[in-house]
Amino acid sequence: MKNIFYMVASVIGIAWLLFLLTMLINYFISSYKSRKKYKTPYVNTFKKDINLFLKNIKLSPDTTLCDLWCGDAKWLRNISKKNKIRKADGYDINHFAITRWRIKNKRYKQNHINLYHQDLFSVNLTQYNTIYLYLFPHMMEKLEKHLQKKAKKGTKIIVNTFPFPNWKPTNSIKNADGKQKLYIYTIH
């Protein structure tokens, strides 16, 4: 009887190990394929950057917030919680990251956040009055043109680290080291 128990436990253990290994491999393959299209890797938003934002930028609960290229949605989750935002949407082409966050979303009970597996250039931006971006410099000029065409006038664009090449920010925020960290733009 003991041998059967150990054999069953071993099979269950091996099955879980294979499941976790499959999920890990799927994560890396999904991340690689989805990010290869724009040559932009996943970069986590650091907690100190989220705190810098929370300290310096206030959003009302009526803000309609969009995070283009949201990854694990940590920024979206923290900002919307602190500002009690009722509508917050995140978009990413990394299916695994979106699925992982949807599971966390249930755990954190943040049902006001919706995540979509969608290319950032196909998002209907007219429904948002605030858009957040944390992307690499090679994407910013193309996004600048896209936002000018697709976002409604008066929309606030908040950019982390890499500014738009042609627009002048209406405001910028420096981090503790005195470096420009957040850039705020308004669509005219």
Side-chain angles (χ1 to χ4, degrees):
M1 189 68 167
K2 256 185 177 178
N3 288 341
I4 293 174
F5 173 76
Y6 287 124
M7 191 166 65
V8 170
S10 296
V11 169
I12 291 172
I14 291 170
W16 267 109
L17 184 63
L18 288 173
F19 172 75
L20 293 174
L21 186 60
T22 303
M23 292 296 288
L24 187 63
I25 290 169
N26 184 23
Y27 172 77
F28 287 113
I29 291 171
S30 172
S31 182
Y32 173 76
K33 284 181 178 179
S34 63
R35 301 295 177 163
K36 185 178 177 185
K37 179 177 180 179
Y38 293 113
K39 297 178 177 76
T40 303
Y42 168 74
V43 178
N44 193 14
T45 301
F46 299 106
K47 188 69 174 167
K48 65 181 180 178
D49 294 335
I50 293 171
N51 290 336
L52 179 68
F53 182 94
L54 290 171
K55 180 181 172 187
N56 292 284
I57 300 173
K58 302 296 180 232
L59 300 173
S60 77
D62 294 328
T63 298
T64 52
L65 184 60
C66 172
D67 183 352
L68 294 176
W69 220 258
C70 66
D72 67 357
K74 181 168 73 172
W75 182 88
L76 199 60
R77 185 173 64 244
N78 283 280
I79 301 307
S80 64
K81 181 179 179 183
K82 178 74 173 180
N83 290 284
K84 297 178 174 61
I85 293 172
R86 293 187 283 269
K87 179 177 173 44
D89 295 337
Y91 297 88
D92 204 300
I93 58 173
N94 184 332
H95 187 70
F96 185 79
I98 295 295
T99 302
R100 188 178 76 183
W101 167 246
R102 285 179 179 156
I103 293 166
K104 283 185 174 183
N105 197 19
K106 289 181 188 209
R107 189 173 113 210
Y108 291 121
K109 297 179 181 162
Q110 290 189 315
N111 299 324
H112 65 286
I113 298 175
N114 298 297
L115 297 178
Y116 302 97
H117 180 243
Q118 188 173 339
D119 188 286
L120 60 99
F121 289 103
S122 67
V123 175
N124 175 9
L125 299 174
T126 59
Q127 60 188 313
Y128 303 106
N129 60 27
T130 305
I131 298 171
Y132 173 77
L133 303 167
Y134 185 18
L135 291 162
F136 282 82
H138 70 276
M139 296 269 310
M140 297 310 283
E141 187 169 2
K142 185 175 181 181
L143 265 170
E144 188 177 53
K145 292 173 184 173
H146 179 72
L147 290 167
Q148 188 65 50
K149 289 179 191 172
K150 301 293 185 178
K152 63 184 176 187
K153 289 184 181 187
T155 299
K156 183 188 297 185
I157 311 292
I158 302 163
V159 176
N160 189 343
T161 308
F162 304 109
F164 289 118
N166 302 307
W167 288 352
K168 185 176 180 178
T170 53
N171 192 10
S172 62
I173 298 167
K174 294 180 180 182
N175 64 11
D177 299 331
K179 296 178 184 172
Q180 296 290 357
K181 191 64 181 169
L182 296 172
Y183 301 87
I184 297 114
Y185 303 88
T186 304
I187 299 290
H188 298 290

